[in-house]
Amino acid sequence: MKERTLPLEKVRNIGIIAHIDAGKTTTTERILFYTGAKHRLGSVDEGTTETDWMEQEKERGITITSAATSAFWKGYRINIIDTPGHVDFTIEVERALFVLDGAVAVFDAQVGVEPQSETVWRQADRYEVPRIAFMNKMDKIGADFFAAVQTLRDKLGAKAVAIQVPIGAESDFKGIIDLLTMEAFYWTDDNGLTIERAEIPSHLKDLCETKREELIAAVAEVDDEIMELYIEEEDIPIEKLKSAIRKATIQNKIVPVLCGSSVRNKGIQPLIDAVIDYLPSPIDMPPVKAFDPKTGEHVRDIYPKEDDVFLALAFKIMVDPYIGKLTFARVYSGKLEKGSYVVNTTRNTKERVSRLVFLHANKKEEVDYIRAGDIVGLIGLKNTTTGDTLASEGCNLILEKLVFPEPVISISIEPETKDDEAKLSKALNALIDEDPSLKVHVDRETGETILSGMGELHLEIIIDRIKREFNVSVKVGQPKVAYKETIKFSSEAEGKYIRQSGGRGQYGHVKLRVEPLPLDSQKEFEFVDKTVGGVIPKEYIPAIEAGVKEAMLNGVLAGYPMVNIRVEVFDGSYHEVDSSDMAFKIAASMAFKEAAKKAKPILLEPIMKVDITTPEEYLGDIIADLNSRRGRIDSFENIASTNTRIIHAYVPLAELFGYATAMRSLSQGRSTCSIRFSHYEEVPEQVTQKILSRE
């Protein structure tokens, strides 16, 4: 394979990120078409896109799972991950950004930054992923390129710099002007294959001169060489300016902004050029940190070299009906041939990789080896899960692990027949392997199997997959909120566990102090040993902590998990013969429950950030409805040149079941909303009583 000999500087690992309906998947489709990876244009509406291959994606016209694919452009390999825009599938964006080197953020040119685009942008900020922005839908009514660019600066704090100017807008959108070369580009056929270069239209020359000056000034602020030329008013060579933009983009000092219309096949080729010109290769990125699996200490930095140890991160698991478990991995160093053994250093297990594949959505291309910089699929791994480190034999290093959000909504699920029990268990295990934001547990009191996820749509898709892909008939309960419990005050209590039944007895005696941690604390639990003088031998302290943690799983109010609590063990006693780990664990559990009851336990509920886009005439009805749902209006926003308003509000999840349908009824189907988890808050007393009366 010729492309396997490409040097790493000619590889780009990028993600396509955006708010739902901004045009991510269509943009990906056009990239694949113009690079020759596809021979016909796919359509989201027709269900013929490469990366939206699941039946649920085709039916709903949305991206649910991130899909990996590859393309070649002007001697470069571009590995692309198309990510979902719906907030319920934010885990897919999270793990993609964790392993990617760069991203193309797609925006709707009519509105610019939307609620979920802000969420994915913050995720990219967290992982310091360099980005370029693409203002899509320039043909849409109300499209305003420069107003949309300004939203990146105002809402995201991005140093957004236009490197193009659109020629026209809405139905008059004809092409783009490159501010580096000062050329106009027109797409003269329906498929966008024929590009005509021309001079800048006379009515846009002054605007382009001004915008080019702004571009150079912005780059000069972060590049000394450009600053020197700028101050001396010398001509700046295009290649030197391009190099400075690339350097500043990789350092996250600026965000180059381009424009076009993916659905009208305009502006895509310059976007692909910008991916090559401005986004980093694996060797442009900082080294990855590797840690000691036992101590967690940073051991060494990992660079993308083929002649180093093999190190890769498994960032996604998929169950394929034909080949079984498929592990998506990013290779950070070394080289691995098919049929080789690897060590899962996270779990200290050895596994054989039977086959290696490059991924093209749900199609696979077998290869003989993989190397540093690759994003690939590994077949044959049995015990590897998302976030595990894979290494060559003899290497004892782990990479940084992914952190996943906690689910906020639950349903009960059970098989319709006894014959389906084993099949349901197998299906749930497979889906949890794929999706770490999905959780399953059995309710101790009712014996029900409880499935928890990130939102109603998330669970709806999972149930649909259980029925279709795994052929399991299930009965599903009503959605329930994932409440939590905490305490408001400090208190103390003691627990004694003493048993004598002939022979050796059991003795554990613990005094604990509990106090609340702030709700916005990064720690949900803190345990401190304050004993002195050996009143409790140190070897029993871990058992006491384990007893507390176990007691916190089922709270004292309604059995919900307890969080944001600091626990101090400050006194107790032991028996030289009868004391044991089990006795201290039970005593600690008893003491914690007693202390929690005295510390005014309260319920916490998930609060969702709700962003509603609505025509002005429905504003009053929607606000009244939000108020009836215990909603708190945060702010309003006008969309330029339209009578559309955006309402930003915070609403308890418990009040939002079926909200999308209700909102559409209030607005005759003309309003849309985005709902995402924000934080936990104390449940009002009167609402708490209603919840407890139902439990």
Side-chain angles (χ1 to χ4, degrees):
M1 295 170 66
K2 182 184 172 185
E3 67 271 10
R4 302 301 281 128
T5 62
L6 281 175
L8 276 182
E9 56 264 29
K10 294 209 165 189
V11 173
R12 301 289 183 271
N13 292 316
I14 67 163
I16 313 288
I17 60 173
H19 181 90
I20 191 169
D21 287 337
K24 294 180 312 305
T25 300
T26 303
T27 302
T28 306
E29 280 295 306
R30 298 309 182 260
I31 291 172
L32 295 177
F33 177 70
Y34 295 121
T35 56
K38 281 193 75 173
H39 300 295
R40 64 183 294 269
L41 290 168
S43 166
V44 171
D45 293 336
E46 295 171 10
T48 56
T49 62
E50 178 88 359
T51 53
D52 281 356
W53 54 270
M54 290 173 64
E55 288 303 318
Q56 293 86 348
E57 293 176 314
K58 292 177 181 179
E59 290 169 0
R60 290 168 171 81
I62 62 171
T63 302
I64 292 169
T65 182
S66 55
T69 188
S70 296
F72 293 90
W73 184 252
K74 298 181 179 178
Y76 287 77
R77 181 187 185 105
I78 307 173
N79 297 317
I80 305 167
I81 297 183
D82 176 30
T83 64
H86 196 287
V87 67
D88 281 14
F89 309 105
T90 189
I91 180 65
E92 294 288 342
V93 184
E94 191 83 22
R95 56 184 170 190
L97 289 172
F98 194 80
V99 298
L100 290 169
D101 300 326
V104 176
V106 180
F107 298 88
D108 183 327
Q110 183 204 51
V111 291
V113 175
E114 296 177 88
Q116 184 62 9
S117 48
E118 185 171 352
T119 300
V120 298
W121 192 270
R122 300 300 177 212
Q123 288 173 299
D125 279 345
R126 190 158 61 248
Y127 298 124
E128 299 181 345
V129 178
R131 278 145 279 176
I132 58 177
F134 180 63
M135 291 300 168
N136 190 25
K137 303 191 178 184
M138 279 303 304
D139 60 314
K140 186 177 177 181
I141 293 173
D144 186 330
F145 177 68
F146 294 111
V149 173
Q150 191 60 42
T151 65
L152 268 68
R153 299 169 184 145
D154 296 341
K155 294 184 178 181
L156 304 177
K159 190 73 182 286
V161 180
I163 62 171
Q164 294 176 350
V165 167
I167 304 171
E170 301 179 338
S171 59
D172 291 328
F173 177 61
K174 294 182 175 64
I176 60 106
I177 296 163
D178 185 326
L179 290 178
L180 277 80
T181 63
M182 294 298 273
E183 288 180 289
F185 293 81
Y186 296 91
W187 281 262
T188 56
D189 68 307
D190 289 342
N191 282 342
L193 290 167
T194 308
I195 305 173
E196 180 184 304
R197 295 172 182 248
E199 288 190 7
I200 298 171
S202 57
H203 69 285
L204 290 175
K205 280 187 176 177
D206 288 346
L207 174 64
C208 288
E209 290 289 349
T210 301
K211 293 300 176 184
R212 190 174 199 273
E213 188 75 12
E214 289 178 9
L215 165 61
I216 293 171
V219 177
E221 284 182 25
V222 295
D223 188 284
D224 292 341
E225 190 176 357
I226 300 297
M227 175 63 83
E228 193 175 317
L229 294 170
Y230 180 62
I231 290 172
E232 294 175 3
E233 297 185 0
E234 292 186 24
D235 284 340
I236 300 172
I238 291 171
E239 286 307 315
K240 197 176 284 291
L241 181 56
K242 189 181 284 187
S243 175
I245 294 172
R246 173 180 175 77
K247 180 181 171 186
T249 303
I250 291 172
Q251 293 174 348
N252 276 307
K253 291 179 178 177
I254 67 167
V255 178
V257 188
L258 301 89
C259 61
S261 169
S262 296
V263 78
R264 301 284 174 233
N265 309 316
K266 295 177 181 177
I268 302 301
Q269 293 94 330
L271 175 63
I272 309 171
D273 285 337
V275 167
I276 300 301
D277 291 340
Y278 306 124
L279 290 180
S281 72
I283 61 174
D284 294 315
M285 298 300 288
V288 174
K289 289 183 170 21
F291 304 89
D292 185 298
K294 293 180 180 176
T295 65
E297 291 181 5
H298 174 222
V299 177
R300 58 172 286 203
D301 291 335
I302 301 297
Y303 293 88
K305 296 178 180 177
E306 277 190 53
D307 57 358
D308 201 348
V309 293
F310 176 78
L311 267 179
L313 184 79
F315 68 92
K316 178 173 173 157
I317 305 296
M318 192 176 85
V319 178
D320 187 286
Y322 303 106
I323 62 172
K325 200 170 178 180
L326 175 66
T327 303
F328 290 58
R330 164 69 193 262
V331 184
Y332 287 102
S333 71
K335 183 177 174 182
L336 184 75
E337 295 182 352
K338 68 178 182 181
S340 302
Y341 283 89
V342 293
V343 177
N344 182 327
T345 52
T346 307
R347 301 178 184 277
N348 196 25
T349 57
K350 186 176 175 181
E351 300 217 56
R352 183 175 180 269
V353 182
S354 57
R355 292 158 63 196
L356 302 166
V357 294
F358 278 137
L359 301 156
H360 301 282
N362 63 333
K363 304 181 186 74
K364 297 156 194 74
E365 173 195 352
E366 291 218 24
V367 292
D368 292 330
Y369 70 93
I370 55 176
R371 61 174 187 165
D374 284 341
I375 291 178
V376 293
L378 283 64
I379 300 170
L381 303 182
K382 306 292 186 192
N383 303 310
T384 297
T385 61
T386 301
D388 287 357
T389 298
L390 302 171
S392 47
E393 294 185 74
C395 175
N396 193 29
L397 297 169
I398 60 168
L399 301 168
E400 186 179 349
K401 285 202 72 168
L402 279 152
V403 178
F404 304 113
E406 285 294 313
V408 294
I409 184 171
S410 303
I411 53 173
S412 62
I413 179 172
E414 61 176 300
E416 286 198 345
T417 67
K418 277 278 185 188
D419 293 340
D420 283 328
E421 280 186 7
K423 287 164 68 178
L424 176 59
S425 177
K426 183 180 178 182
L428 289 174
N429 286 334
L431 290 167
I432 290 167
D433 263 354
E434 284 189 22
D435 185 351
S437 65
L438 196 66
K439 298 286 174 67
V440 175
H441 75 276
V442 176
D443 188 294
R444 288 184 179 181
E445 294 183 6
T446 65
E448 292 179 309
T449 299
I450 306 297
L451 184 64
S452 303
M454 300 306 298
E456 285 184 276
L457 180 61
H458 186 202
L459 293 180
E460 183 186 320
I461 296 292
I462 292 297
I463 295 301
D464 193 40
R465 291 187 63 192
I466 288 171
K467 291 175 179 177
R468 286 198 205 187
E469 293 176 28
F470 297 92
N471 198 27
V472 183
S473 298
V474 292
K475 291 186 279 188
V476 178
Q478 290 298 310
K480 292 183 179 180
V481 176
Y483 292 103
K484 293 183 180 181
E485 297 182 23
T486 191
I487 55 175
K488 290 202 79 170
F489 303 123
S490 299
S491 73
E492 296 179 2
E494 70 175 319
K496 271 188 178 181
Y497 182 70
I498 303 173
R499 289 288 182 273
Q500 288 294 341
S501 55
R504 182 176 174 178
Q506 294 284 351
Y507 184 96
H509 175 212
V510 175
K511 291 184 180 180
L512 297 178
R513 181 181 298 112
V514 298
E515 58 186 60
L517 291 169
L519 292 185
D520 59 356
S521 168
Q522 293 298 310
K523 292 183 178 179
E524 289 199 341
F525 171 66
E526 189 177 324
F527 181 82
V528 183
D529 175 18
K530 287 284 183 110
T531 59
V532 293
V535 291
I536 299 174
K538 294 297 180 187
E539 62 260 32
Y540 294 128
I541 298 299
I544 294 171
E545 182 176 0
V548 170
K549 285 182 176 177
E550 190 172 291
M552 288 177 68
L553 293 174
N554 297 96
V556 294
L557 258 186
Y560 294 108
M562 300 196 78
V563 294
N564 299 100
I565 297 176
R566 184 176 193 270
V567 178
E568 290 182 4
V569 52
F570 64 91
D571 201 2
S573 61
Y574 73 101
H575 189 281
E576 287 189 359
V577 176
D578 292 346
S579 285
S580 66
D581 283 347
M582 181 58 69
F584 273 103
K585 185 177 178 182
I586 294 170
S589 178
M590 293 163 59
F592 174 80
K593 287 180 179 176
E594 186 62 32
K597 287 175 185 174
K598 296 192 292 185
K600 198 187 177 190
I602 57 170
L603 281 184
L604 300 174
E605 63 181 341
I607 304 296
M608 312 302 283
K609 178 80 187 302
V610 182
D611 301 286
I612 303 153
T613 304
T614 181
E616 184 94 40
E617 58 261 41
Y618 304 112
L619 194 64
D621 290 341
I622 286 177
I623 289 173
D625 183 60
L626 286 173
N627 289 334
S628 73
R629 297 171 183 270
R630 296 194 283 130
R632 184 174 75 248
I633 307 297
D634 184 54
S635 62
F636 297 96
E637 193 179 328
N638 289 320
I639 295 181
S641 70
T642 70
N643 74 331
T644 304
R645 301 288 294 276
I646 301 178
I647 307 166
H648 301 289
Y650 293 94
V651 187
L653 174 61
E655 309 291 342
L656 286 173
F657 294 132
Y659 179 68
T661 304
M663 178 206 60
R664 283 194 290 269
S665 298
L666 287 171
S667 62
Q668 298 180 6
R670 294 176 62 195
S671 298
T672 59
C673 69
S674 167
I675 301 172
R676 63 188 186 277
F677 171 72
S678 174
H679 61 281
Y680 271 85
E681 269 183 20
E682 180 179 349
V683 179
E685 181 63 32
Q686 66 272 23
V687 180
T688 297
Q689 293 309 317
K690 288 181 184 176
I691 295 167
L692 295 180
S693 68
R694 295 198 303 263
E695 295 299 326

